[in-house]
Amino acid sequence: MPFLNIARDGAIWTLTMNLPETRNALTGNTAVEEFVQVCDEIRRDASVKAVILTGAGPIFSSGGNVKDMQRFFDDALTPDAIREEYRQGIQRIPRALTQLDVPVICAINGPAIGAGLDLTCMCDIRIASETATFAESFVRVGIVPGDGGAWLLPRAVGRAKAAEMAFTGEAIDAQQALACGLVSRVVPADQLLPTARALADKIAANPGAVMRMTKRLLREGEHSTLESLLELSAGYQALAHKTADHREAVMAFVEKRKPRFQ
């Protein structure tokens, strides 16, 4: 069984983690390879304007497969080998997702635990079902966030809240996640995917090339200086002003009509 079910609907792709029997765990299966492959495909396809990521079943993702971690007890598996396994394994998911220039909406249908929570933080927008819960629970199984969570979570909820979640490993519910900014909306379970799709439709109505540049500027702004970002913004703006979609948007505004983007 493939880990990801990929639904392509015009400019919007929906990726559904589809191994509910393993709680959509991200290790011990083909999840890494499939995430990397689909992200490569999305980057190459200029027609894609928005992506929705969700999970099948009652759980979004339980993160790492804890039962599979028993193999690390083998003395033959050295710390160097384990480090390399992380580099060539689960760490490829944040690299792939954060390199996407297409906006990614995470529709969190249930518990997002450990690396499952960090996976939500790799997305641009997070919408939660009322049944969703979130836990940065690595410390409770005696490990650290090996998938980049220590970089991702503070950027989503701030340093203090991230520290509280990481040091206690305790779960928060959907309303608490809304209060700390981890998610932007909480909706009834039956409205989760329709809400995510409606938002994706609004995003996809805009020019694709400019959308990708806008996301890149937002991501670059997380770690660059203002001067560096201003310089990059000027370069991107020079490109944007020469696109056919910009011309169409301006003329539609002047002529008081709806734009027809390429």
Side-chain angles (χ1 to χ4, degrees):
M1 288 288 294
F3 181 77
L4 289 175
N5 178 35
I6 303 170
R8 301 169 177 85
D9 184 8
I12 300 170
W13 289 20
T14 301
L15 314 179
T16 304
M17 296 180 288
N18 196 30
L19 285 182
E21 61 272 21
T22 66
R23 297 160 55 91
N24 295 325
L26 299 171
T27 58
N29 52 34
T30 59
V32 172
E33 294 298 332
E34 292 185 44
F35 268 113
V36 171
Q37 182 175 343
V38 74
C39 286
D40 285 342
E41 191 174 349
I42 291 167
R43 277 199 302 271
R44 291 193 301 266
D45 190 340
S47 70
V48 183
K49 292 186 176 182
V51 174
I52 298 171
L53 173 62
T54 191
I59 294 177
F60 176 75
S61 174
S62 60
N65 188 325
V66 177
K67 291 182 179 179
D68 183 59
M69 294 178 189
Q70 295 177 84
R71 62 190 179 83
F72 294 126
F73 302 161
D74 187 348
D75 291 338
L77 193 56
T78 66
D80 282 345
I82 296 172
R83 180 175 61 179
E84 192 61 26
E85 182 175 319
Y86 271 82
R87 288 170 170 169
Q88 302 303 323
I90 197 168
Q91 289 186 352
R92 295 171 66 199
I93 295 179
R95 288 191 179 103
L97 280 173
T98 57
Q99 288 173 6
L100 276 184
D101 289 335
V102 175
V104 181
I105 301 167
C106 194
I108 306 145
N109 54 295
I113 309 300
L117 166 56
D118 295 342
L119 179 62
T120 72
C121 295
M122 299 171 203
C123 302
D124 302 295
I125 302 169
R126 291 170 290 279
I127 301 172
S129 161
E130 292 174 332
T131 60
T133 57
F134 305 84
E136 188 78 342
S137 56
F138 298 94
V139 69
R140 292 202 166 190
V141 289
I143 58 175
V144 301
D147 61 337
W151 190 92
L152 294 159
L153 188 59
R155 284 166 169 76
V157 301
R159 290 177 62 186
K161 187 62 177 179
E164 179 183 335
M165 294 177 68
F167 295 161
T168 67
E170 292 181 348
I172 62 174
D173 62 25
Q175 290 300 327
Q176 290 172 307
L178 180 64
C180 71
L182 181 57
V183 302
S184 58
R185 303 188 200 181
V186 176
V187 298
D190 62 350
Q191 291 300 307
L192 179 63
L193 284 179
T195 301
R197 177 61 195 229
L199 180 56
D201 285 336
K202 289 182 180 179
I203 292 171
N206 294 311
V210 172
M211 185 68 63
R212 293 184 181 222
M213 286 191 284
T214 300
K215 175 172 175 177
R216 180 53 56 188
L217 286 175
L218 288 172
R219 286 296 172 93
E220 289 297 322
E222 292 177 350
H223 55 77
S224 66
T225 65
L226 176 58
E227 286 302 321
S228 296
L229 190 69
L230 287 172
E231 189 65 25
L232 183 60
S233 299
Y236 279 4
Q237 196 73 303
L239 296 173
H241 275 298
K242 289 299 184 179
T243 62
D245 282 336
H246 170 62
R247 180 186 294 271
E248 169 61 14
V250 171
M251 295 311 299
F253 177 83
V254 171
E255 297 168 4
K256 296 182 172 58
R257 59 175 175 80
K258 186 176 179 179
R260 297 181 294 273
F261 297 124
Q262 293 182 1

